[in-house]
Structure formats: structure tokens, C-alpha cells
């Protein structure tokens, strides 16, 4: 089934109104809402299972951001505020990916203004996930003409990163003490992974091209000033390293440290950019030895 869905939705609390009545698209609509939640953490209904909820706009207030970090840190076993901040910024990549996905696949932009989002802390099996509740479902549909769409895309991404992401990142950095470059640095790793995944599951060539073009625009053409940075944080070259188990394969190194090392019983990830190559080689050797021993024991 194609991922191109022609109808649009107006969503407010518990009611969904379809502007187009074609029944064959209803299943696709539900699937797309599921995608928003499963892949990006965006919910259309209140998270009744959340143990902590705060409006995203309130997080621009220093006291509210400190309260949020104080609540989230123990839940994800952070040893300091920088770990909680890095994890939160990684979760924030979900709403950024959702906007990119909607812009490229559906040629529409969601209302992801801070006032329209609540941040929810939800206990899960062995970890705490963060969900983003949209109070109202509002869309800004893009034009089809190439030139007009280019201006629309620029306006959409400028507004989203300048008015939603940047203020959150700046306040998060100020409260946690983690350099803002490390916070922005959590996003490219996830974007590279999901952009490649979207290319594989998108059937229409026109949509695959738009995915690639829009991502290239985000990385290379969106003004760094939108992010409050001298360089666009998405404009990074992926670094490849030897696969942990298979020497014939390579994997991407993370763009920034995820701060797992600053959680209880945490350590450096194999793909952490802070690991020295000799340390990474030791991890490979030990992991492969254990894998070989386990295989021998089971044979």
C-alpha cells in the first residue's frame, strides 16, 4: 500500500473528522496515527498512564524545566542533570522527525508549537519513555508547485526549529549545564537512521525524491541562525566504524555522546565518539570472544 494518503484530518481531543469520505483510506489513516505514536512519540489522546505531564511552553521557564529534570532524572537513573538533558533532547528528535516525515510524505506540516504540546513521562518495561501529546490536530498543507513549495518548506522548518526546538534546547542547556552543541548533536544520529528507513519503506519514487531533497535542504540550506548556531547542527558527515561483531560490515558512529555513561551502571557505547579507537578495538575483541564462546557452547 502506498504511503500517500489524500485526505486530511481535523483532530480535537477525542474526535476525528475526515474531510474526505473514501472508506478505503480509513485504515491508512489509523496506521498513520499509529506511526506518529510508535515512531515519533506523538499522541493524539491524553496520556493517562503518565506520571508527570507539563506543557512544553512552560518548560521555557527555568523553574519548570528544573522541576522536569528533577522528575525525569531519577526515572532514567541519571547520575547528573547532563544525562537527563541528553536523553530528553534525544526524545525531542521524535517531534522533529515527525515534522520532517509529514512535510515530505504528506506535503503538510503539523502544528508543533510549544503551547500545543504536553510532554509526558511514562513508565515502561525497564525504562521511562517520553510522549508528546498534541492538544489539537492542525495542519498547514503545502503547495504542489515546486517554487512555492520551496518557500513553504523554508517557512515551516524555520518556524519549527526557531520557535519550538531552539527555545527548548537553549533552556535545557542553561538548566542542565550540558553544552547546547551536545544537545543538538543527539538529532543527526536518529535522523540518518530514520531517513534511510523511510527511503526503504516508501514505494513512490516521487516521495522518495522529496524525502531526500527535504532532508538535504534541512542539512545544507536551512540558515544556521535558525538554530542559534554558527553551523547547522544537521550538517555533519557520518563517521563509519567497524561493526562490533562482523568485521566485513561498518556502522555509523554516534554524532554526540548520549551520556549513558552518566547513568547508573552505564558505560560508553561502542559507537560513542568519545571512545578512543584502541578502546573500541578492545570492546570488539571481548564481544567477539564472548559471542564465539556462546556459539561453541550451544553447538
Amino acid at each position: 500500500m502506498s504511503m500517500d494518503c489524500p485526505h486530511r484530518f481535523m483532530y480535537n481531543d477525542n474526535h476525528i473528522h475526515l474531510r474526505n469520505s473514501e472508506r478505503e483510506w480509513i485504515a491508512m489513516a489509523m496506521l498513520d496515527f499509529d506511526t506518529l505514536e510508535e515512531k515519533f512519540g506523538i499522541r493524539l489522546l491524553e496520556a493517562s498512564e503518565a506520571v508527570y505531564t507539563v506543557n512544553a511552553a512552560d518548560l521555557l521557564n527555568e523553574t519548570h524545566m528544573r522541576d522536569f529534570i528533577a522528575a525525569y532524572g531519577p526515572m532514567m537513573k541519571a547520575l547528573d542533570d547532563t544525562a537527563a538533558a541528553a536523553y530528553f533532547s534525544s526524545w525531542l528528535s521524535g517531534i522533529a522527525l515527525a515534522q520532517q516525515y509529514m512535510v515530505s510524505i504528506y506535503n503538510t506540516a503539523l502544528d508543533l508549537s510549544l503551547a500545543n504540546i504536553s510532554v509526558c513521562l511514562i513508565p515502561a518495561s525497564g525504562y521511562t519513555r517520553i510522549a508528546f501529546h498534541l492538544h489539537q490536530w492542525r495542519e498547514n498543507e503545502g503547495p504542489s508547485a515546486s517554487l512555492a513549495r520551496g518557500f513553504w518548506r523554508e517557512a515551516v522548518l524555520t518556524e519549527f526549529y526557531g520557535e519550538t526546538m531552539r527555545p527548548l534546547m537553549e533552556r535545557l542547556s542553561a538548566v542542565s549545564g550540558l553544552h547546547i552543541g551536545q544537545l543538538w548533536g543527539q538529532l543527526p544520529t536518529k535522523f540518518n537512521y530514520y531517513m534511510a528507513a523511510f527511503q526503504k519503506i516508501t514505494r513512490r519514487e516521487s516521495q522518495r525524491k522529496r524525502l531526500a531533497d527535504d532532508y538535504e535542504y534541512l542539512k545544507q540550506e536551512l540558515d544556521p541562525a535558525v538554530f542559534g548556531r554558527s553551523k547547522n547542527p544537521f550538517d555533519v558527515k557520518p563517521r563509519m566504524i567497524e561493526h562490533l561483531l562482523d568485521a566485513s560490515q561498518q556502522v555509523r558512529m554516534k554524532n554526540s555522546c548520549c551520556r549513558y555513561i552518566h547513568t547508573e551502571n552505564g558505560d560508553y557505547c561502542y559507537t560513542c565518539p568519545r571512545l578512543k579507537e584502541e578502546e573500541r578495538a578492545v570492546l570488539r575483541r571481548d564481544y567477539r570472544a564472548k559471542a564465539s564462546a556462546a556459539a561453541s557452547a550451544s553447538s
Side-chain angles (χ1 to χ4, degrees):
M1 179 182 290
S2 168
M3 297 183 69
D4 188 20
C5 181
H7 60 217
R8 295 291 178 259
F9 313 98
M10 294 298 293
Y11 185 90
N12 188 338
D13 293 332
N14 297 320
H15 303 287
I16 300 175
H17 304 282
L18 297 180
R19 294 181 191 166
N20 190 326
S21 62
E22 285 95 333
R23 294 181 181 274
E24 63 268 28
W25 291 104
I26 293 179
M28 186 62 212
M30 296 304 102
L31 175 62
D32 192 59
F33 286 139
D34 288 343
T35 297
L36 286 175
E37 181 168 356
E38 293 171 6
K39 301 295 186 185
F40 312 126
I42 291 180
R43 298 177 60 123
L44 305 180
L45 300 177
E46 291 185 9
S48 59
E49 69 274 38
V51 296
Y52 188 100
T53 300
V54 60
N55 187 268
D58 291 338
L59 290 177
L60 301 189
N61 177 280
E62 180 179 349
T63 299
H64 288 304
M65 181 63 85
R66 289 193 185 280
D67 289 345
F68 173 76
I69 293 298
Y72 182 42
M75 295 179 69
M76 44 83 59
K77 302 186 185 303
L79 298 178
D80 58 38
D81 289 348
T82 67
Y87 274 51
F88 182 36
S89 63
S90 182
W91 282 102
L92 284 171
S93 67
I95 59 174
L97 278 162
Q99 191 71 296
Q100 195 78 16
Y101 175 83
M102 295 298 289
V103 164
S104 295
I105 297 297
Y106 294 101
N107 200 38
T108 193
L110 299 180
D111 177 4
L112 295 176
S113 58
L114 291 173
N116 196 39
I117 300 171
S118 282
V119 181
C120 312
L121 299 180
I122 302 174
S125 300
Y127 73 106
T128 299
R129 63 188 179 92
I130 296 181
F132 304 96
H133 169 222
L134 288 190
H135 302 294
Q136 292 187 329
W137 179 276
R138 291 188 289 260
E139 295 183 35
N140 170 13
E141 188 170 0
S144 56
S146 178
L147 182 61
R149 186 181 183 275
F151 288 120
W152 170 81
R153 177 182 61 189
E154 179 181 15
V156 165
L157 295 180
T158 296
E159 179 180 10
F160 173 69
Y161 284 101
E163 299 181 17
T164 294
M165 294 295 289
R166 177 183 173 181
L168 278 177
M169 292 292 202
E170 291 178 343
R171 177 56 66 192
L172 184 58
S173 176
V175 167
S176 68
L178 184 60
H179 192 280
I180 195 167
Q182 295 296 309
L183 294 175
W184 282 116
Q186 304 301 317
L187 275 65
T189 299
K190 281 197 172 181
F191 263 73
N192 287 331
Y193 174 83
Y194 276 102
M195 288 300 112
F198 294 157
Q199 285 288 347
K200 290 180 180 179
I201 65 175
T202 302
R203 294 186 178 182
R204 291 193 177 186
E205 176 60 30
S206 60
Q207 290 178 322
R208 289 197 299 271
K209 183 177 186 305
R210 200 158 63 191
L211 273 167
D213 290 347
D214 290 348
Y215 189 31
E216 192 67 15
Y217 175 84
L218 173 65
K219 293 188 294 182
Q220 302 294 335
E221 298 185 48
L222 192 60
D223 191 342
V226 171
F227 306 92
R229 307 290 292 157
S230 60
K231 181 184 178 184
N232 184 320
F234 288 96
D235 183 15
V236 293
K237 183 178 180 180
R239 291 176 288 175
M240 307 303 292
I241 56 176
E242 188 176 321
H243 192 281
L244 182 60
L245 184 60
D246 187 349
S248 67
Q249 297 185 38
Q250 290 195 319
V251 295
R252 287 191 185 95
M253 186 188 298
K254 288 182 178 178
N255 185 61
S256 293
C257 177
C258 69
R259 311 296 284 185
Y260 175 62
I261 186 70
H262 289 264
T263 64
E264 290 182 19
N265 301 316
D267 204 344
Y268 283 114
C269 304
Y270 174 71
T271 54
C272 182
R274 295 191 174 186
L275 268 186
K276 296 178 181 179
E277 285 311 308
E278 53 267 30
E279 294 172 324
R280 213 182 314 275
V282 171
L283 288 178
R284 279 197 303 269
R285 183 196 65 202
D286 292 347
Y287 186 84
R288 290 172 184 177
K290 292 178 181 178
S292 178
S296 298
S298 62
S299 60

